[in-house]
Amino acid sequence: MAKAATPSKDKLVDDLKAIITDAEDLLALTADQTGDKLGDLRGRITERLAAAKDKLSDAEAALIDSSKKAARATDDYVHEHPWQSLGVAAGVAFLLGLLASRR
């Protein structure tokens, strides 16, 4: 089940990275604009982008860590129970074969 959630988490991380990049580009394009309100807004956005980058890198590290833990747990289980793992794999392959042959 953890594998099914991973692509959506990866997409979310990629989308957030794109938003941060776009916001940075927008800040760079408006750098020559003047005014107190605009300067304050630019400062707040810069601070929030820095915070978002930190949170995003933490979330990405947590995602990688949980993926590695799941892979290690699976590897350990297969090494501890090779015949059960082989049986499950054969059963899944058989079911997929049945489903594919129906079409």
Side-chain angles (χ1 to χ4, degrees):
M1 283 194 184
K3 271 204 169 246
T6 300
S8 64
K9 288 181 182 179
D10 289 340
K11 175 124 176 60
L12 178 63
V13 168
D14 291 341
D15 291 346
L16 287 174
K17 284 182 180 179
I19 290 170
I20 289 172
T21 301
D22 291 345
E24 287 174 333
D25 291 344
L26 182 61
L27 282 175
L29 289 173
T30 61
D32 61 344
Q33 302 295 319
T34 59
D36 292 338
K37 288 184 180 180
L38 192 56
D40 292 341
L41 178 62
R42 196 175 293 119
R44 285 194 315 250
I45 290 174
T46 302
E47 290 173 9
R48 289 182 182 163
L49 282 174
K53 280 183 178 180
D54 289 341
K55 289 180 183 178
L56 184 60
S57 66
D58 291 345
E60 193 172 21
L63 179 64
I64 290 170
D65 187 47
S66 66
S67 297
K68 286 181 180 180
K69 285 181 183 177
R72 267 188 250 122
T74 302
D75 188 52
D76 290 344
Y77 181 82
V78 169
H79 280 91
E80 291 172 10
H81 305 89
W83 291 108
Q84 290 90 339
S85 301
L86 184 64
V88 168
V92 169
F94 177 74
L95 291 175
L96 288 175
L98 282 177
L99 291 173
S101 67
R102 286 187 170 185
R103 294 185 177 201

